[in-house]
Amino acid sequence: MAAAPEFHLPLAPADLLRDGGPGRYVVQEVLSPRELPPALAAFRAAFRARGALAVLQHFDCVYSVLHHFGTVGVAVKEDALELMVRVVSHHSNELPAILSDSGLSHEDRAAHLNALKMNCYLLTGLMDAFEMETCKNSCLEADPGRKNRKNHAKTSGSLWEEEREPLLRLLTQLLQLDLCQLWAGLAVEEEFVSLMTGSCYRILENPSIGLQRYRLTREAVTHLLAVALVHCDHMFSATLKITQMLQHFEHVAPVFAQAVSLWAKEYGLKSLVGELLREIGQKCTQDLAREASGVKGYATFISELAEQIPALVLSNMSVLLPHLDGESYTMRNAILAAMAEVLVQVLNGDQLEEAARGTRDKFLDILQAHALPLTQFQSVVSLAVGRLKDKSVIVVKNAIQLLAAFLSNNPFSSKVQILSSDDEFWAYPSVKFIAMLKARRNMTELSCADLDEPLKKEVQKLKEMRDRNRPTAVAPVVAPQEEWEAMLPEVRAATQQLFQPLQEGEEEVLEVEETVERTVEQITGLLKKLNYKSAARLTQVALCRFQGEEPFIGPGEENEEATILGVLKRLYIGENSEDPPHDNSSDEIEEVVQEEQPQTELVKQEMLVQYLQDAYNFSVKITEALNLISKMMYENSVSVVQEAIEFFVTVSQFGVPQALLGVRRMLPLIWSKEPGIKEAVLNAYRQLYLSLSEDSERAKAQALVHSLSLIMVDASLGTIQCLEEIISEFVQKDEIKPAVTQLLWERFTEKSPCSLLERRAAVMLLGMMARGKPEIIGSNLDILVTVGLSDKACEDYRLPQEVCNAISKLASNPKPALDKNSAPFRLPQNHMLFGCLSETVSKGFAQPSSHWIPFMEAAVTLIYQLAEGPEEICADILHVCSQQALEKLQEADEQKTDAGDSPHRVSDGAGSLPTFLLLHLVSLVGQVALQQVVYLEVSVSAELRRRRILKEEKTKKQSDTSKKKQRPQSTGNETTMEEELGLVGATADDTEAELIRSICETELLDGKHLLSAFVPLVLKICNNPGLYSDSALSAAAALTLGKLCMISSEFCDSHLRLLFTVMEKSTLPDVRSNLIIAAGDLAIRFPNLVEPWTSHLYARLRDPCPSVRQTAGLVMTHLILKDMVKVKGQGNAVYNLLPDIISHLSDANTGIEEESFHTVMRHLFSYITKDKQTESLVEKLCQRFRTARTERQYRDLSHCLALLPVSDRGLHKLQDNYDCFADKLQDPAVYNCFQTVLARFRRAGIKPETKALAEELEQKLSASHNQGLDSTETCHNGTQTPMPMPAKRKAVRSSRRQPLSPANTDDDFITPPSRTLRNHKRAQKHPPRKKAIITFSSDEENNSEDGKALHICAQRGQGLQIWPNGNIPLVMGYMPVDFSAQGHGVLIIDMFYSL
């Protein structure tokens, strides 16, 4: 019987198809895909009969699966994989018994060896095939340009990812067996080991292997390779393979670093570390400089390996040192980082041996030699600050990172431990000056203001010391040793330059003197002249010339650089420390000491001044960077915003005072729609305020409360709202400990001593936390009421105001809840809270206080939010306060004859009242009126709807039950027409809304309601500004008038004329601002009534007061974006007005600064999103170049063109209108803008058909910029095209909506007719005509008064920018309009309406 053929592992699968010689296995037949399923079934049957040896007859079957792997079905692949896993697992389980059988015949051993190699070959082949297929599919799914990714089938990728780890464990189990017995006691053949480990390396080539979900797979690969290294002598192959993969696959560096660390610690494979580092160290430095990807892999591997096993890296560091002189900065950084890790983790402490200390000192010298020289520190910082203005996002991002690194590691930090020994102290110059500065100035913060005064004082002190020491001539100023230490860095740098190749023209010829003495004099003279490089070069030559002669003798074990430095040190110190003539006189010794001491102090003072000057310059640059980076928080780039946030975290942790502004400025970003930005803000505040270093929980709570209290000092309402959102997030995640809540309650109840400001901050913080967990307030409501609304409340109403705001967090959501069965949270009328509120409000009514009105508003709002029947409570408060006012009026009448009129009282002839009393009364009436409307429209309406729904559900259940009893055979499909159309709920909602509306229209202001009694008083104050001249009273009355108008449309209609008259003619800016806000709210509530008065709102954009213009701009923008006010142009307002806005703002006489112009245009052009608008604007702006007359206008127009995303048609427009701007291209700014247009066009993806056009346009731009136009040369010949004369201005028709005249005539305030009547008259006057197409021309004048008003507002307001949030209503200036960061991460306005 012939022997079975021997199976040899092939180098390539195709080798098995060729005859390799006698006795070698060859695949007989490659089955077709159709034949594979029955063949696999036959293999499975044979496996059940014969076990793992069945592969000897069925190898060709699975080989055919591998051969057709790309075309066979998924089921066949998975079937083959499952079968081979069972076969190899069975073989692995039976091999231990077979290997231990001493009677195993040669034929059986050969059969099992062939079966083992065949089974492993097929299994690993399937593993490789599945891995390649999965990697390919993941690459296709990650391709952003690939279409129909959703329809792409995942094939067997998910199955393979689940099976990968068990298969690796199976191969590990197999390799752990004593397989040498199958090779007759010899070593396992290398091809078999490579076969088993090859799958591991192929799995690691997958870029996604580093993800967390593949952690178990990475561990399995690591253990499999470890077994191969220990049992199969895989060291040499692994070294080559790992270095290869590090060079070609950057992502495997962290994986291999962790694996090598594990092998060294747990498997004792420490020699592998040396082999790998030696292999990397032998790489050619020139090759590494050219291969960036390979260098990154090596660098990451070295740095991460040093973090995990620094001791082993230290023992092999010498093989890496040659790369410090290489060209690859990435490699140099990695080796220096490895040295730093070794110094921190290994070479630290005072118990080091002498050799270890020497190594530490050498490492420190190397780090110092490669560090940034202090002389260039300031220049690099300046360059980094300048790059903050770069157009590239990546450059700006890296510049921010660099500045953060400079700040964290700057040499001016005061956080330095002072050494106790004077000798040690002065041995470290970098520590010496910082410690001296800290001892003298205790500088703990970097600030220009803090450094300026000490610098001036020290400079003055230095000047005085120099004046005192000028007459005396003392030879030794400083000890030679100290002088040498000061100049050592520069001497070392000069010496190191000797070993670098000379540049062209740098060659220097130095002749050595004939004698040693003359040479020594020559070298010392060069040192005194600070010519260190020449001195070092001459010493190098002298060491060769006078070898073995003093002083040119160096230890043999030192390198040449150390020898040169040693000789220079001996020469310099020996020259400057010649012993004076010996004299035993102590008087002369004391005299020398006294003469040397002032000179030493002078040197110290000079160094201190220089240090202070450098620190001051650094502080100036950091301050400049702070201002620039703070503006970047609202850039469109998410990564830049995140870097800016992280920068301010670093600055704050370093203690820079200006950092608090940046920390506050990032607060509104909590509302960003970008999750990355919002999370960055949360992480920033988490690091700054929650990650504290205090030991106890109590200390951490005190630090947190103190830090948050500082933010709230003088904070705006917007800042407080943003901080509340952040704190509520922390509370919901249980990141704020109970110790913080306990401390806040102790401060509020005065159990913990604190100031009144800190008590208010404590209440505010409790309220913010209650938004996340209302039980914080709910469980301690009695404490809040008894302490915050006690008799002491009248001393300062700001504390009870914050108490009201905190309690208001208990109010339920005013919108209808999803759970209709849950009633809104309200307290009974007799609750102690409302009694205390009523008493505190009534008691303070008759006392003059500037804080009573804000408290009263918070109290009334809280009553309407939480009380059952709040109108009764507020009616009682109004009654009590009115009674007090009447009593004061009666007292005033009785005393009128004796005291006379007071300038602080108001009088109408019948009696007089203190102004503050009337102010309080009017404000109280307005607040009650407004909150009554809000209560009816929101709370009552929601409750009616909730009860109706409950009633309907109950009725429906009863009806369904009765129907089932009466008509059991009914199908249940009978519905009314209203139910089918969905009109039942809508009709009920309309009925409820009509009920609320009728109450407001007919009841609240009729003679029976209490509010109606105060209407004449409010009207009288508004109608008689001369009689009631107090500004606060006039503003309060105007605001109350607006609030009363919110109640009834009839009342509003009859008093709009008065409201707009006061808005126009009042001399008080506060009154005009309040009425603008009121008019904005009325425009939302009663749009048809306010619409005829829209032109008067636009007129306020031309108000002489900047604050009024700003308020008007905010209100009008809010109304426009809510579609409550239509701008002429109907939807294309920015597009239609843009050319005129550009002309107005770039005008030399009436325009704005160029930088402000760029800011305004950048915002306005962000609204131009349509391609047709962009193309039209390109043409219009090009045409405007013809009418531009100044260089500033040329630059402004070209800047605007650079802001537009030019398309193919836009590029054609530029080409067609080239003559319009060709002669302006000689201006560098104009030329750069057009280059920006072309660069943006190319980045957007240029088409082949437009590539030629873009190149042609670029050539024309370059030619015009460099050489000028051809027409310029021909103009001398009289062929130049003449410039068009300015056309005569056409007669301009008056606008249909004229602005109000400033004249004080009542005729100007005739109530405009309604829109319906005006449209009817217009239709009668003009016959029907075609719908006009709205366009604008670059040469036409914009006649819109609204447009002109917007222009003026933009000019005076210096580019007013807005960003609205349409979800928050305008409610009389007290409900804040949230102009937060919404979309694109841009905050445009951080302010709220204020009175």
Side-chain angles (χ1 to χ4, degrees), residues 566-637:
V567 172
L568 289 174
K569 179 178 180 180
R570 290 196 299 272
L571 292 179
Y572 187 81
I573 295 178
E575 176 71 19
N576 292 277
S577 60
E578 295 180 357
D579 295 335
H582 294 282
D583 194 344
N584 295 328
S585 175
S586 60
D587 295 337
E588 292 185 8
I589 295 176
E590 292 180 2
E591 182 180 354
V592 171
V593 172
Q594 291 175 359
E595 289 177 355
E596 288 180 352
Q597 186 174 2
Q599 295 297 327
T600 304
E601 291 296 327
L602 179 62
V603 173
K604 294 179 182 178
Q605 187 66 21
E606 289 176 344
M607 294 180 177
L608 176 60
V609 169
Q610 184 62 45
Y611 177 84
L612 279 172
Q613 184 65 55
D614 292 341
Y616 177 81
N617 295 337
F618 178 71
S619 180
V620 169
K621 285 298 177 184
I622 289 297
T623 303
E624 181 183 352
L626 287 173
N627 296 331
L628 292 173
I629 297 175
S630 65
K631 298 176 182 178
M632 296 178 186
M633 288 189 184
Y634 303 102
E635 291 287 341
N636 292 333
S637 173

Side-chain angles (χ1 to χ4, degrees), residues 1185 1190-1199 1201-1202 1221-1237 1261 1265:
F1185 274 99
T1190 64
E1191 293 183 359
R1192 163 69 190 280
Q1193 290 175 331
Y1194 304 156
R1195 295 195 300 270
D1196 287 349
L1197 289 171
S1198 59
H1199 175 77
L1201 277 173
F1221 55 82
D1223 57 334
K1224 315 299 189 302
L1225 291 171
Q1226 295 182 5
D1227 189 322
V1230 177
Y1231 176 72
N1232 290 335
C1233 289
F1234 279 95
Q1235 289 294 328
T1236 302
V1237 172
L1261 290 173
H1265 175 65

Side-chain angles (χ1 to χ4, degrees), residues 899-918:
D901 290 341
S902 171
H904 298 289
R905 309 173 77 87
V906 292
S907 172
D908 59 357
S912 61
L913 275 177
T915 304
F916 80 88
L917 206 61
L918 198 56

Side-chain angles (χ1 to χ4, degrees), residues 130-146 149 152-158 160-161 164 202-203 205-209 211 213-214 251:
F130 274 106
E131 184 64 32
M132 293 174 64
E133 184 182 57
T134 304
C135 186
K136 179 181 178 182
N137 291 337
S138 63
C139 293
L140 290 176
E141 291 174 2
D143 185 7
R146 187 174 178 270
R149 284 184 292 168
H152 174 67
K154 293 186 177 179
T155 64
S156 55
S158 58
W160 166 241
E161 291 178 358
R164 193 160 46 186
R202 194 159 288 107
I203 290 173
E205 291 177 5
N206 193 334
S208 62
I209 193 64
L211 299 178
R213 66 175 182 264
Y214 298 136
H251 68 274

